[in-house]
Structure formats: structure tokens, C-alpha cells
């Protein structure tokens, strides 16, 4: 979405850890959790948790609570 692309170009995206940025980028490119797991060498559960944390941070940024 347009809002997501704008967010990627702002400090909101910079608020993510390197691991979160990689996972979000790969997810935005259409990779499945299992594929992200393979590419990053992390378990699927770890990728799920990483994406959850990243979504929470990005949502807070979008909502203006952070």
C-alpha cells in the first residue's frame, strides 16, 4: 500500500531491528514465512515472532503512539 511504502522511507522503518527490517522486506516482496525462514536461517516460529514485533512497532508508529 502507499502508506506502507511511505513508512519504509521514514524513521518508522528505522525503528526496527536489522532482523525485523529484513523479515518485513522479504514479506513485502511476497515471500512466505517458510521461505523467509530458509533465507535467514531462523526457525519459522522465530520469523513469525519477528514479524509480529515488527507489525506492532509499525502500527504504533502509524497510529502515532510512538
Amino acid at each position: 500500500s502507499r502508506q506502507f511504502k511511505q513508512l519504509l522511507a521514514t524513521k518508522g522503518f528505522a525503528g526496527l531491528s536489522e532482523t525485523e527490517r529484513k523479515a518485513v522486506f522479504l514479506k513485502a516482496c511476497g515471500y512466505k514465512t517458510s521461505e523467509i525462514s530458509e533465507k535467514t536461517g531462523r526457525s519459522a516460529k522465530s520469523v513469525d515472532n519477528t514479524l509480529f514485533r515488527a507489525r506492532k512497532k509499525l502500527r504504533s508508529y502509524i497510529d502515532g503512539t510512538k
Side-chain angles (χ1 to χ4, degrees):
S1 76
R2 183 172 180 235
Q3 190 176 25
F4 180 73
K5 288 177 185 175
Q6 288 176 334
L7 182 62
L8 293 179
T10 66
K11 64 182 180 179
F13 194 64
L16 301 179
S17 71
E18 180 71 19
T19 301
E20 291 165 342
R21 283 194 298 273
K22 285 180 184 177
V24 168
F25 176 78
L26 291 170
K27 191 69 170 175
C29 288
Y31 286 93
K32 297 178 183 177
T33 300
S34 60
E35 294 169 322
I36 297 170
S37 173
E38 290 174 21
K39 286 189 167 295
T40 61
R42 297 180 175 271
S43 70
K45 180 64 177 166
S46 176
V47 171
D48 277 337
N49 289 339
T50 298
L51 290 169
F52 176 81
R53 283 191 313 274
R55 279 192 299 272
K56 187 175 177 181
K57 288 179 182 180
L58 292 170
R59 185 164 303 147
S60 291
Y61 182 78
I62 289 170
D63 292 344
T65 57
K66 212 165 196 189

